[in-house]
Amino acid sequence: MRVLLVEDDDMIGQSLKQALGGNGWSVDWVKDGLLAQSALSDGGYACVLLDLGLPKRDGIEVLRKARGLGDHTPVLVLTARDGLDDRITGLDIGADDYLIKPYEFRELLARMRAVIRRRDGSAHSVIGGADVQLDITTREVLVHGERSQLSAREFALLHALLERPGAILSRDQLESRIYGWGEEVSSNAVDVLIHGMRRKLGVDTIRNVRGLGWRIAAGAAVAVAAAQP
Ligand code: CA
């Protein structure tokens, strides 16, 4: 999955980018508020990590603008300890959560999972339907109760499909959910990925709709989350 990292501090940005990359995230890193705004308008992010004190346009303004435009991408605000007013403003205008610097990287990962889960409309970590379930904590997929591990890209692709059950996602839409800036994407990358996933998930789970894209099969699309307490 892709994350937009908005951080003007070189050291923090560099180390976060590296650590997130090591955890299977595709990280696009921008260092000012204007670049953050233009990256957000391109879409495709599972989550945004937003520093508030930024050159050109501060984080609060970036967030206000995005929410004003109807962008519901989960936003996790990263602030300094003394930034109480900023944190409150951030939450009021639509941040999903915040973390105070310095924080433990493990906690950052857990909070990212939590805000993504909430956006998926699920209080727990499993999304999907009766046939196919995706555990966003472990990146495991369960197909008819059979568990297998997904690569970071397979996970991003399946998450995109399960998030909008029934919707057909085009090649461009899927690529924008899987690959960050500067990643080489061959013209058949999505096909190769889906070919491999059908071996794990069964041939009928991801359906091709000729000329339009792909969608998840109907059996996988009925949400289980609502049925569970
Ligand atoms: Ca800053």
Side-chain angles (χ1 to χ4, degrees):
M1 290 202 277
R2 292 174 66 201
V3 58
L4 177 64
L5 170 61
V6 187
E7 172 62 73
D8 62 321
D9 183 296
D10 277 326
M11 278 220 328
I12 297 176
Q14 196 61 256
S15 70
L16 264 182
K17 184 174 167 125
Q18 202 167 11
L20 288 164
N23 271 269
W25 284 90
S26 287
V27 184
D28 293 343
W29 175 22
V30 294
K31 300 180 187 178
D32 72 57
L34 284 180
L35 288 172
Q37 242 162 31
S38 85
L40 261 175
S41 67
D42 291 340
Y45 296 105
C47 175
V48 180
L49 302 179
L50 182 65
D51 179 32
L52 293 181
L54 293 167
K56 296 189 182 168
R57 185 153 299 172
D58 75 25
I60 292 288
E61 284 313 308
V62 172
L63 181 59
R64 199 190 302 276
K65 178 104 189 271
R67 293 306 189 232
L69 292 169
D71 183 335
H72 298 298
T73 310
V75 172
L76 192 53
V77 163
L78 308 175
T79 70
R81 187 162 298 279
D82 57 5
L84 178 64
D85 289 342
D86 281 346
R87 289 197 293 279
I88 291 172
T89 308
L91 290 169
D92 281 344
I93 62 172
D96 295 82
D97 200 359
Y98 66 85
L99 261 177
I100 297 171
K101 299 173 185 176
Y103 45 79
E104 288 281 331
F105 183 63
R106 287 183 310 142
E107 183 177 5
L108 174 69
L109 290 177
R111 286 186 189 267
M112 288 168 73
R113 289 194 295 269
V115 294
I116 292 166
R117 215 158 60 208
R118 286 208 294 271
R119 205 262 312 256
D120 291 340
S122 175
H124 53 102
S125 65
V126 177
I127 64 165
D131 296 343
V132 178
Q133 292 163 29
L134 184 66
D135 187 325
I136 73 169
T137 306
T138 61
R139 288 201 190 129
E140 286 174 324
V141 62
L142 273 116
V143 182
H144 302 297
E146 191 105 12
R147 220 169 251 280
S148 41
Q149 192 74 41
L150 296 176
S151 72
R153 285 175 178 173
E154 290 173 336
F155 173 74
L157 189 147
L158 188 59
H159 185 260
L161 290 170
L162 285 174
E163 203 175 58
R164 294 174 59 196
I168 298 165
L169 298 190
S170 69
R171 181 181 304 277
D172 278 355
Q173 285 173 315
L174 288 175
E175 285 176 355
S176 83
R177 294 289 298 266
I178 302 168
Y179 303 100
W181 300 337
E183 285 187 71
E184 269 317 310
V185 184
S186 63
S187 60
N188 67 343
V190 169
D191 308 79
V192 171
L193 207 52
I194 288 177
H195 180 75
M197 289 174 74
R198 284 182 172 142
R199 284 202 216 133
K200 292 182 186 175
L201 308 179
V203 285
D204 287 334
T205 308
I206 299 173
R207 301 275 172 81
N208 180 246
V209 183
R210 198 172 289 277
L212 295 176
W214 292 267
R215 66 176 172 80
I216 200 85
V222 183
V224 285
Q228 294 182 5

